[in-house]
Amino acid sequence: MFYQPVSYVSNFFGWLISPLLNFLKRILRPFIKWVLRRTTGLCELQRTCYCEPSGASRILGIENSLKQSKSVKVHTLLQFLDLAAREKRLTAAGSAQIIRNTVETICCIKKIHLDAHRPFTKLFGECVSIIWSLKQLLHDLEEIRTTAYDSSNMEHEKKLLELWNLLMPMKELDCRVSNLWKDIGFQGDDPKTDFRGMGLLGLENLHFFAKNYPEVALQVLSHSNHPIHGYSFAIVGINLTHLAYNLWKDGTAKSHIYNICCHHLQIPGPTLLHFHRFYCYLFIEFDKLWIAEKPATIMEFGRIRSKFENDIRSLLSNTNCLFKLNIPVEHV
Amino acid sequence: MGLLALLRKLRASSEQELRILLLGLDNAGKTTLLKQLANEDITHITPTQGFNIKSVQSTGFKLNVWDIGGQRKIRPYWRNYFENTDVLIYVIDSSDRRRFDETAEELSELLNEDKLEGVPLLVFANKQDLLGAAAPSELALGLALQTIKNRGWQIQACCACTGEGVQDGMNWICQTIKKK
């Protein structure tokens, strides 16, 4: 190994400078905010709403600003919203009232004149609605995930058999416990043990993919059955549920989620549908990467999986990120 | 070589490194066991495609644990990981009676492998918390463990989810290696 002065110097600066900058930012933030407030006559929330373009950059700005607020009143308000999300009160009927109350409370705390700042109240309300709808959706996802696959539950069984019929329209399943399940990439003769930590969410994701994008799903399935560069479709699918779930849970996917909500004017906020579509995007892109990498054996899965995750994370780190389903068209 | 790397090397050489292979049928609980050993969250586990590897510190040893997927399709690749194995851990779902024959067959094939000759064997009789789980004595009989003469072996009841019995098994490994 050679001594590399350049990397040491840059490492040294990395260690020293970035914490220092963060420290300075933290110290100077209130001062900068105060100056801007005095000069523009607007609070940070207003400046974010008026200056940032619609989508992730505005909503993330609002979210950070609220989170970093030192006001006790703002924190009480945030707790109230968190509770509403946990109790699933952000429904079509209940949401409007909660959002209106939130906007009025913030205007009161920040001394914003409601009538003079009509555009602000509208934009801010939209941001609040999307932020807390996402939180509520995460609780929903958690519930589906922690629902274990139960073979005595008729609904679960029905969905599983439907998945078979969607993926194998030409082939009848001989019996419920069958080695044929391996043809769509389950590990053994009974898929019930394969859902594990992803519970029903894994099945719902696979089912959505096969049902809503049947052609693509069948194409991906056929790629997965390649004799040399193949992989287990269902197992990889469940693994990708885990990835999608993690990206939503840890907030990495927020850039995409917030952008898609604004672009599609889904004002109340993201729904389960968005999660499923995000999953389908991941599956299609993973399949592409897998084929491009031409792995010698399935044992390379770990390496390709982490490469894929890194790629997706770096795409999502851009606030303008918006994943669009690329439905591949193969020449016949 | 940088100072940090040098320090790391000095520290590493003071403890013995062990290569541990974790095998068993699919859904036996290998990944849960691995995560339990590494004190990680076990509620988000998905079936292992390929393999996982983790380094765990345990009473003076650095254990490099290789958890290889148990699906029938990837069992042929198990042999690629046999080289230089210090201990073989074989995990069994004690409640899955339907597949006891299959798991016994896989184990006996492993024990006949040249590259695993003399490697101590720890069998984890996992999922003891489940209804209808076979006792370790019953499993030992079914696996014909008594007939093993050319290596140290042990069967340990455990529940990878709660961690019960796992440490006992790991202690056996450390004692066996120290005796060597």
Side-chain angles (χ1 to χ4, degrees):
Chain A
M1 211 186 295
F2 297 103
Y3 179 69
Q4 291 171 307
V6 179
S7 87
Y8 273 81
V9 168
S10 74
N11 269 345
F12 176 74
F13 273 92
W15 289 339
L16 194 74
I17 298 299
S18 86
L20 203 69
L21 275 178
N22 282 338
F23 179 71
L24 275 178
K25 254 191 225 162
R26 234 194 11 240
I27 296 280
L28 291 178
R29 201 180 108 88
F31 175 70
I32 295 169
K33 268 176 70 180
W34 181 83
V35 170
L36 284 171
R37 168 118 218 194
R38 291 289 129 182
T39 48
T40 61
L42 300 169
C43 74
E44 192 180 39
L45 293 173
Q46 285 169 300
R47 293 195 305 271
T48 311
C49 277
Y50 292 142
C51 304
E52 294 289 343
S54 92
S57 54
R58 181 190 294 160
I59 304 176
L60 285 169
I62 294 289
E63 196 171 7
N64 281 334
S65 174
L66 288 172
K67 208 159 69 188
Q68 289 180 15
S69 168
K70 291 202 177 69
S71 152
V72 182
K73 285 178 193 161
V74 171
H75 270 263
T76 318
L77 179 67
L78 298 188
Q79 278 166 6
F80 163 78
L81 284 167
D82 285 345
L83 187 70
R86 209 173 318 130
E87 292 175 351
K88 313 274 167 69
R89 280 189 273 127
L90 293 165
T91 55
S95 188
Q97 183 65 39
I98 293 173
I99 302 302
R100 201 176 319 125
N101 289 347
T102 306
V103 172
E104 279 169 12
T105 313
I106 281 290
C107 286
C108 180
I109 297 170
K110 298 281 173 192
K111 300 192 181 66
I112 298 168
H113 201 278
L114 268 173
D115 287 324
H117 288 282
R118 281 257 164 254
F120 166 75
T121 55
K122 180 176 169 287
L123 297 177
F124 179 69
E126 286 171 5
C127 292
V128 169
S129 171
I130 291 172
I131 294 168
W132 271 274
S133 296
L134 175 61
K135 291 196 182 195
Q136 181 168 305
L137 179 61
L138 290 176
H139 289 298
D140 291 338
L141 288 176
E142 184 64 7
E143 266 172 32
I144 305 174
R145 185 190 73 78
T146 49
T147 307
Y149 182 87
D150 176 6
S151 50
S152 65
N153 184 321
M154 289 311 285
E155 263 174 57
H156 297 187
E157 285 284 292
K158 196 177 144 227
K159 204 150 230 177
L160 182 64
L161 292 173
E162 251 175 51
L163 177 68
W164 172 269
N165 290 329
L166 288 165
L167 291 173
M168 286 284 178
M170 309 302 275
K171 210 168 181 179
E172 193 95 9
L173 193 66
D174 46 357
C175 58
R176 169 61 181 77
V177 176
S178 158
N179 272 316
L180 285 178
W181 286 113
K182 292 181 190 168
D183 292 357
I184 57 170
F186 284 103
Q187 293 198 99
D189 54 15
D190 193 345
K192 73 175 181 193
T193 55
D194 283 342
F195 296 108
R196 309 214 184 142
M198 289 301 115
L200 214 52
L201 193 60
L203 175 60
E204 300 244 341
N205 270 162
L206 282 169
H207 186 270
F208 182 92
F209 184 35
K211 182 158 187 164
N212 292 276
Y213 305 100
E215 279 146 34
V216 198
L218 289 180
Q219 202 175 69
V220 172
L221 177 65
S222 77
H223 293 159
S224 81
N225 281 327
H226 190 282
I228 301 159
H229 311 301
Y231 55 88
S232 298
F233 180 84
I235 299 307
V236 168
I238 292 166
N239 201 293
L240 291 173
T241 297
H242 189 201
L243 177 60
Y245 171 84
N246 274 349
L247 292 172
W248 278 53
K249 192 93 183 168
D250 68 13
T252 312
K254 272 180 186 169
S255 50
H256 162 79
I257 302 167
Y258 291 160
N259 282 328
I260 207 149
C261 286
C262 290
H263 281 254
H264 293 179
L265 297 171
Q266 299 273 349
I267 287 317
T271 62
L272 199 54
L273 196 71
H274 293 106
F275 181 74
H276 283 316
R277 284 199 191 131
F278 181 80
Y279 168 83
C280 294
Y281 172 85
L282 289 187
F283 213 147
I284 294 167
E285 294 302 312
F286 178 84
D287 181 64
K288 271 190 214 157
L289 177 68
W290 184 272
I291 291 172
E293 290 276 325
K294 284 203 179 8
T297 73
I298 188 65
M299 301 316 272
E300 288 190 51
F301 178 79
R303 178 182 66 81
I304 296 178
R305 162 72 165 68
S306 60
K307 177 178 170 16
F308 180 66
E309 178 165 352
N310 287 340
D311 291 353
I312 292 291
R313 280 187 187 274
S314 81
L315 287 173
L316 285 168
S317 66
N318 179 350
T319 25
N320 294 322
C321 172
L322 177 61
F323 288 154
K324 289 199 179 108
L325 279 171
N326 293 315
I327 307 294
V329 182
E330 262 179 25
H331 299 289
V332 184
Chain B
M1 188 185 285
L3 185 62
L4 268 176
L6 193 74
L7 281 173
R8 221 172 276 146
K9 205 180 170 194
L10 275 174
R11 219 191 67 191
S13 61
S14 65
E15 59 188 8
Q16 200 180 342
E17 272 195 51
L18 291 184
R19 182 184 161 100
I20 295 185
L21 200 53
L22 207 55
L23 298 176
L25 302 187
D26 51 282
N27 200 37
K30 299 177 289 298
T31 307
T32 309
L33 192 71
L34 179 73
K35 298 241 172 187
Q36 189 64 259
L37 286 174
N39 277 326
E40 287 177 17
D41 173 38
I42 56 158
T43 55
H44 293 70
I45 285 168
T46 57
T48 305
Q49 187 75 298
F51 64 92
N52 303 306
I53 175 170
K54 282 196 196 305
S55 290
V56 187
Q57 303 290 335
S58 179
T59 52
F61 289 104
K62 184 182 174 206
L63 311 177
N64 296 315
V65 189
W66 294 70
D67 156 34
I68 322 284
Q71 180 186 4
R72 188 182 283 274
K73 216 165 104 187
I74 55 181
R75 283 180 218 159
Y77 298 110
W78 282 1
R79 59 178 62 250
N80 300 351
Y81 299 84
F82 289 164
E83 212 104 31
N84 303 321
T85 295
D86 293 300
V87 179
L88 172 65
I89 299 183
Y90 195 75
V91 189
I92 296 178
D93 175 352
S94 315
S95 69
D96 190 4
R97 291 173 181 270
R98 201 166 58 92
R99 298 207 289 166
F100 279 178
D101 288 342
E102 189 184 344
T103 197
E105 216 168 278
E106 291 291 347
L107 178 62
S108 89
E109 265 178 45
L110 285 173
L111 297 181
N112 285 329
E113 290 283 347
D114 292 340
K115 282 184 185 160
L116 291 177
E117 205 185 332
V119 171
L121 166 74
L122 171 65
V123 178
F124 267 123
N126 192 20
K127 308 200 189 180
Q128 287 295 320
D129 56 322
L130 292 187
L131 215 65
S137 53
E138 186 188 338
L139 281 169
L141 216 61
L143 300 170
L145 293 181
Q146 285 84 350
T147 61
I148 299 175
K149 299 277 185 270
N150 55 353
R151 68 179 85 223
W153 64 268
Q154 168 86 337
I155 183 159
Q156 171 69 46
C158 82
C159 172
C161 283
T162 61
E164 217 179 314
V166 173
Q167 203 46 55
D168 297 328
M170 299 321 281
N171 289 343
W172 177 81
I173 288 181
C174 295
Q175 282 162 14
T176 310
I177 293 298
K178 274 179 196 151
K179 262 188 243 158
K180 254 187 168 180

